[in-house]
Amino acid sequence: SQELEQSPQSLIVQEGKNLTINCTSSKTLYGLYWYKQKYGEGLIFLMMLQKGGEEKSHEKITAKLDEKKQQSSLHITASQPSHAGIYLCGADMWGDDKIIFGKGTRLHILP
Amino acid sequence: SAVISQKPSRDICQRGTSLTIQCQVDSQVTMMFWYRQQPGQSLTLIATANQGSEATYESGFVIDKFPISRPNLTFSTLTVSNMSPEDSSIYLCSASWTEESYEQYFGPGTRLTVT
């Protein structure tokens, strides 16, 4: 079955540093979704990317989708403790009627 | 953004019993989904809850084990039947307001422990 590969699985970053999380598919994606999960708060929708080469930003978080629509990166600039959590990418493929999710990246921010 | 609530937020249940989880959205939505997140794993789609008709289940999930209702456009329930310890997971409902993408918003989840 189709899977999304996320890397790294876990990330520990000093507060104020930048970081990048990657999400890769072996198939062309129709839509790519980034979510953040905190304990007891469910998943928070961050961004959706649908066009090859698309880039979106929200506050200090930027997500990009490559031209082939098979890889996405999530970049956090000047990380803060509030950025800590699990980041999940999800994607739907052409012809599928559901989203599949990566296994997540657990982000820790050191003060 | 809409508010999606789930009840209960957590429960500890005995083997062989059933638990019904409720999902309430504060506005009418197009699609509602139920996911399971087992410890250390990502989200797995259980089924799409269809308003007024039977849910559409993913491979590996059956109606007898996970009956789902969706009586209207804002509410759905998932029942975990005849529970075993392997059913211990976080169960999440999500909602989508558009059929053009799968941009979904999630409830806070129900943490189920089966003893």
Side-chain angles (χ1 to χ4, degrees):
Chain A
S1 61
Q2 175 63 36
E3 290 185 350
L4 287 180
E5 295 290 332
Q6 264 188 258
S7 62
Q9 290 185 343
S10 180
L11 194 54
I12 302 173
V13 174
Q14 197 76 39
E15 182 177 353
K17 297 294 186 182
N18 303 334
L19 63 105
T20 300
I21 299 168
N22 294 301
C23 179
T24 303
S25 168
S26 58
K27 288 186 177 181
T28 300
L29 308 173
Y30 179 75
L32 189 289
Y33 309 83
W34 283 101
Y35 289 88
K36 179 183 175 184
Q37 184 176 30
K38 279 196 166 182
Y39 182 82
E41 296 180 17
L43 273 75
I44 301 167
F45 174 76
L46 296 176
M47 277 171 278
M48 176 181 72
L49 303 166
Q50 284 188 305
K51 299 177 183 177
E54 187 175 10
E55 179 176 320
K56 288 186 177 179
S57 293
H58 175 67
E59 297 179 344
K60 293 186 178 181
I61 301 176
T62 300
K64 301 178 184 179
L65 183 62
D66 72 339
E67 290 288 346
K68 288 186 176 181
K69 297 178 65 176
Q70 288 185 271
Q71 184 171 20
S72 178
S73 61
L74 185 81
H75 185 76
I76 298 177
T77 304
S79 58
Q80 300 169 355
S82 61
H83 289 129
I86 299 173
Y87 289 81
L88 286 160
C89 66
D92 55 307
M93 318 291 176
W94 284 99
D96 283 350
D97 57 356
K98 63 180 180 182
I99 293 181
I100 60 170
F101 285 88
K103 292 187 176 181
T105 296
R106 190 177 293 271
L107 174 62
H108 302 273
I109 306 294
L110 298 177
Chain B
S1 60
V3 174
I4 303 176
S5 60
Q6 279 185 240
K7 287 194 295 186
S9 59
R10 60 174 60 229
D11 207 341
I12 301 173
C13 301
Q14 288 192 336
R15 180 196 298 263
T17 62
S18 298
L19 176 72
T20 295
I21 303 168
Q22 298 179 5
C23 180
Q24 179 74 55
V25 188
D26 67 352
S27 63
Q28 293 185 347
V29 296
T30 304
M31 305 179 79
M32 294 183 77
F33 306 89
W34 286 98
Y35 289 85
R36 180 173 73 182
Q37 186 177 29
Q38 292 178 304
Q41 302 295 317
S42 186
L43 298 170
T44 302
L45 180 64
I46 298 172
T48 301
N50 300 309
Q51 193 266 327
S53 64
E54 192 172 290
T56 304
Y57 289 84
E58 296 299 309
S59 175
F61 298 96
V62 294
I63 188 171
D64 290 344
K65 176 66 176 177
F66 297 101
I68 288 171
S69 78
R70 189 179 171 193
N72 56 51
L73 293 175
T74 64
F75 184 78
S76 178
T77 66
L78 168 75
T79 299
V80 185
S81 303
N82 189 24
M83 288 183 284
S84 67
E86 291 72 34
D87 295 320
S88 298
S89 287
I90 298 174
Y91 291 86
L92 297 111
C93 71
S94 71
S96 175
W97 278 259
T98 174
E99 293 181 352
E100 297 178 351
S101 76
Y102 283 92
E103 180 179 332
Q104 297 173 35
Y105 293 83
F106 285 79
T110 296
R111 185 177 292 271
L112 172 62
T113 302
V114 184
T115 60

